[in-house]
Amino acid sequence: MNLFVSLKYLVALDDHKHFGRAALACHVTQPALSNALRALEESYGTAIVKRGRSFAGFTEEGERVLASARRTLREQELLQQELDSRSGSPCGHLLIGSVPTAMPIAARFVARLQARHPGIRPTLRSMSSVELEAGLENLALDLALGYTERMEQSRAQLRVLPQYTEHYFLLQQAPAEPSTAGLQIGAEMRWQDAAAQPLCLLSAEMHNRRIVDRAFAEAGVPKVQAAIESNSTGALVACVVAGQVSSVLPGALLGELQAYGPARCGLQARPLVAPQVAVPIALMLHQGSRPSRTLEAALALAEDPAWLAEAAQHSGLLQGR
């Protein structure tokens, strides 16, 4: 039995919560993954995985083995990066998670990081706030881009690097054929008036939806019934394009439409006011973890004034172009 391989399979099973998907992620067959986990159980003399018709979680002993597996694999990765990296040229993997509304900024961040350090291999995943917090707590994630207002709900001690401030817009079809290319920036709209529109919004389990609902309540509309819900921000934009609905979205997402959208997208973004909503977005990492060479490079970029200016330019309060 190769211990490191078996531990990787165990961590993959925890990440994917499914034997088949974990096997695919590890590029092995499902029987090979299952056999390796059984061999691990025999080696430790205890049941690790709760087995049924499908994955049912880990035993109490399995949770302890899993936590040790993550620490062991992390130390192995740190050592490998130290051996592979030269001064000023970090090499290795870096796993970054981001809430869906911040994915355009997260994508810019990993692109800038990889261009600056070609030896770094970033993986970027779209994750809910709950998934980000769990990933940071169990050291499954190196970095997370998300809402700092949720920090009190996290059991992990987190280091926070502020990145930008999220502001909100009503995205709707332009009232007439657009006279300029790309996304139009329209007049301000009150949250109370936006509530009267047929809306497509993120679903209730997403933290962004709670921010939006809180703004509507502050505007005097305590309960907004969405016409369409989705956990995908891309689906919200597609619904606005295809249907007769509007959506509430942050500037980071609309900045991508403004920069890269179709030449004549026929959409209009209207800044939402009364109340003015400004939500801090930050990169977060586990305070107690020893940073890898790749993570050190990412942290240096996260505090670079040029990068912070770029993040602000493509999020927040958009300007007409």
Side-chain angles (χ1 to χ4, degrees):
M1 180 187 71
N2 185 314
L3 178 61
F4 279 116
V5 170
S6 297
L7 295 180
K8 287 180 180 179
Y9 292 172
L10 183 65
V11 168
L13 182 59
D14 182 47
D15 288 341
H16 296 278
K17 305 295 191 293
H18 188 277
F19 286 100
R21 290 195 292 270
L24 285 173
C26 294
H27 307 289
V28 297
T29 64
Q30 184 171 328
L33 182 138
S34 296
N35 290 337
L37 294 180
R38 290 189 187 279
L40 191 64
E41 290 176 323
E42 291 175 5
S43 175
Y44 285 121
T46 186
I48 294 175
V49 180
K50 294 178 181 178
R51 288 179 171 84
R53 297 186 65 182
S54 59
F55 174 69
F58 298 97
T59 64
E60 182 178 346
E61 294 80 6
E63 292 288 353
R64 292 165 63 186
V65 174
L66 176 65
S68 178
R70 288 196 180 278
R71 290 194 298 269
T72 300
L73 293 174
R74 177 173 176 78
E75 286 300 319
Q76 193 270 342
E77 173 68 19
L78 289 173
L79 174 59
Q80 192 65 58
Q81 288 191 20
E82 290 292 338
L83 296 174
D84 293 342
S85 300
R86 301 184 305 276
S87 177
S89 301
C91 293
H93 183 245
L94 187 74
L95 180 55
I96 301 177
S98 172
V99 292
T101 53
M103 277 295 284
I105 302 301
R108 285 181 177 274
F109 181 81
V110 297
R112 296 291 178 264
L113 179 65
Q114 207 282 325
R116 179 181 289 190
H117 301 289
I120 296 180
R121 304 183 306 278
T123 296
L124 176 60
R125 292 179 180 169
S126 177
M127 307 170 76
S128 69
S129 292
V130 172
E131 291 171 331
L132 290 183
E133 290 152 15
L136 290 174
E137 183 181 348
N138 63 26
L139 302 180
L141 285 176
D142 295 301
L143 270 178
L145 184 64
Y147 299 101
T148 58
E149 68 177 38
R150 287 187 57 93
M151 283 186 59
E152 293 180 358
Q153 302 178 35
S154 176
R155 292 178 292 182
Q157 295 295 314
L158 302 180
R159 177 182 171 188
V160 177
L161 290 80
Q163 295 296 289
Y164 66 95
T165 301
E166 200 170 73
H167 296 269
Y168 291 86
F169 299 77
L170 184 81
L171 181 69
Q172 60 185 184
Q173 292 189 4
E177 182 68 18
S179 58
T180 58
L183 177 71
Q184 299 180 61
I185 305 299
E188 293 180 344
M189 174 180 271
R190 298 186 307 162
W191 283 88
Q192 185 177 46
D193 296 329
Q197 303 283 325
L199 295 172
C200 55
L201 300 173
L202 285 174
S203 44
E205 76 274 11
M206 308 301 287
H207 184 71
N208 175 269
R209 175 63 181 275
R210 294 170 205 167
I211 294 172
V212 169
D213 285 346
R214 189 170 66 209
F216 278 127
E218 190 174 339
V221 188
K223 183 64 175 178
V224 172
Q225 186 68 44
I228 301 172
E229 292 185 342
S230 175
N231 64 353
S232 165
T233 54
L236 299 186
V237 175
C239 287
V240 176
V241 172
Q244 300 297 315
V245 292
S246 302
S247 186
V248 176
L249 293 170
L253 286 165
L254 300 183
E256 294 302 289
L257 283 178
Q258 194 176 39
Y260 307 122
R264 303 180 74 81
C265 67
L267 296 179
Q268 174 181 250
R270 300 180 64 180
L272 288 167
V273 296
Q276 291 279 1
V277 179
V279 182
I281 302 294
L283 282 166
M284 294 167 274
L285 66 152
H286 198 293
Q287 184 75 280
S289 63
R290 178 163 64 96
S292 64
R293 294 288 295 274
T294 56
L295 180 55
E296 288 176 345
L299 297 180
L301 175 61
E303 296 179 309
D304 188 324
W307 157 251
L308 293 172
E310 180 179 352
Q313 178 186 356
H314 293 280
S315 62
L317 294 169
L318 304 177
Q319 303 296 320
R321 294 183 181 179

